[in-house]
Amino acid sequence: MEKATGGSQSIDRSLDTPEKFDNQDYQQLKQSCLSKRMRYIDDKFPPDTRSIGDGILKSSDMNKVVWVRPHKIVPNPSFVVDGITRFDFGQGIVGNCWFLASIGAVTLQEPILAQIIPKDQTFDEDYCGLFHFRFWRFGRWVDVVIDDKLPTIKGRLIFVHSKDPEEFWPALLEKAYAKVCGSYSDMNAGTPVEALVDFTGGVHVCVELSSPPPNLWELMSHARQSQSLMACAIPPGATSENTVLPNGLVNGHAYAVTGVKEIKIRGQLVKLVRLWNPWGKGEWKGDWSDKSRFWQMVSPQDRATCLDVIDDGEFWMTLEDFCKFYSDLNICCLCPDFLDGSSTCHWKTSFYEGRWVAGSTAGGCLNNSDSFWKNPQYRVKIDKLLDKCAVNQGENNMLVSLMQKPNKRNRRQVKNLYIGFSIFAVPDAGVEKFPASFFITNRPVAQTNKYVNAREVMKLVMLMPGEYLIVPSTYKPDETASFLLTIVSKAETHTK
């Protein structure tokens, strides 16, 4: 067990007892609506312009918006038609490709999908216009209630829409996440890892593809074999975002990674990555694209298994082209055992809530030698790896993540601080809190590469058995904010 100084505490992240978002109880609201024979209208996320938000619709178009229930759009709506897949939907007018790419990745993992979308939701028996979904938000699962009134213009959905007009799970899921974010416009722009973490309650590993690790292919292959989710993004570049390039890729756009496969061509093995565009259309036009000549040079079996010449947004490309055109790869998982390609040693995870308080526990970065010690301090003892886990003794054995918690409901109003953390080797001594002198004479054995104004920073480290101190901080001193620290360790960890 890890313990921490500085007022932090361990937290429970159980999916079995999710918090009621906005204090709305799904079962109570449903029973109330059924007993009164009325259809639910959510007063916490009302069907009006406030829930759409500013900046995504012109005022002239906003006046055309009509909120209607699915029964008013089609005669026989269904929550799900023939199962849930990434090919069910396409992106609407809000720039939430980061969110939809993450949904595309989630549809490949049924257990994770079942966490987000509770079963037995229909438009038939006991229907009262009420639905609910679950997301992991800053350390806790929350159950989010919505009504099924959806914004339309001229009878058509203006945000995410199903390719089958009778299927509504994508639009309702998007509405629930919009409620969590504050409005639909609060979903505009983001990174896939944010949604991946909110869908799983897991941890993530970020790989910079401009300088990929030598074992990138092994990492992706092991991640694909486990219940890990993968998504990536193309940088905006010199042109504006969402510009379709001559090669078919989209600037400033997020994609889901849906597969990896080695294919033999002319006696040579080629490493291929499969990607999916959340627009539901628009594909890569280079080597190994749907109409590439290379598909005629592989075995009929591989061609039948992999090639699908339909503009559904999904395509193959080589690992080299993947690293060339995409900026980063995010792998999100409940357990990072894919890092060493084995599930024989289960990594252990602990979560802690903490807070920097100006004038008290907000000491700033190490440049502030007189105040850095005031930051919350997490003391961790790492035991020697068990024999079954010690095969890769020199590999990374701990993942540390620092996530700052928002102080505002609306996502776009949140101003992230520059955050990071440092890890120090410490003597085996009963010190309650290390003073300023310790940090003047001791340098970190590991730390985040830089302080960034992101929701979350993380780092994989290799720490030998011993005692360590993890110190999360903001870059500047005297900045007040709450945070969530996640420690994932391959070895047994505890504190005296």
Side-chain angles (χ1 to χ4, degrees), residues 158-364:
I158 58 178
F159 299 121
V160 71
H161 51 276
S162 295
K163 294 179 179 179
D164 186 328
E166 295 186 342
E167 186 173 56
F168 285 90
W169 74 263
L172 294 171
L173 175 60
E174 181 187 53
K175 180 176 181 178
Y177 200 74
K179 178 177 180 178
V180 165
C181 292
S183 71
Y184 281 97
S185 65
D186 280 288
M187 297 177 70
N188 207 46
T191 58
V193 69
E194 182 176 341
L196 290 177
V197 171
D198 286 355
F199 287 157
T200 61
V203 293
H204 81 280
V205 175
C206 183
V207 180
E208 292 187 8
L209 297 175
S210 59
S211 55
N215 66 335
L216 174 62
W217 180 253
E218 287 72 22
L219 282 179
M220 296 180 71
S221 299
H222 294 150
R224 184 71 185 90
Q225 292 163 10
S226 68
Q227 287 190 3
S228 301
L229 308 177
M230 291 186 283
C232 55
I234 294 177
T239 59
S240 61
E241 290 191 12
N242 293 331
T243 298
V244 180
L245 302 171
N247 61 19
L249 301 180
V250 184
N251 261 346
H253 196 48
Y255 291 75
V257 177
T258 61
V260 293
K261 187 176 178 64
E262 282 190 311
I263 286 185
K264 184 173 288 188
I265 176 173
R266 293 177 175 174
Q268 299 288 325
L269 283 175
V270 178
K271 295 177 172 61
L272 298 181
V273 181
R274 191 176 64 190
L275 298 114
W276 176 76
N277 181 349
W279 285 356
K281 59 182 181 180
E283 300 182 5
W284 162 248
K285 297 177 182 178
D287 291 348
W288 295 97
S289 60
D290 286 0
K291 298 180 181 180
S292 170
R293 60 187 176 86
F294 290 121
W295 289 110
Q296 304 308 314
M297 304 178 193
V298 304
S299 70
Q301 182 180 0
D302 280 342
R303 190 161 56 246
T305 301
C306 301
L307 184 58
D308 188 4
V309 189
I310 299 174
D311 186 13
D312 54 10
E314 191 164 70
F315 55 88
W316 294 91
M317 67 193 319
T318 65
L319 181 66
E320 291 76 18
D321 281 337
F322 175 62
C323 293
K324 178 180 178 181
F325 292 104
Y326 290 84
S327 58
D328 52 71
L329 168 68
N330 287 291
I331 305 175
C332 186
C333 54
L334 294 178
C335 174
D337 51 13
F338 72 88
L339 290 169
D340 51 18
S342 171
S343 59
T344 57
C345 182
H346 193 75
W347 294 51
K348 302 163 188 67
T349 305
S350 296
F351 296 85
Y352 294 96
E353 288 181 317
R355 186 167 173 79
W356 299 292
V357 178
S360 176
T361 59

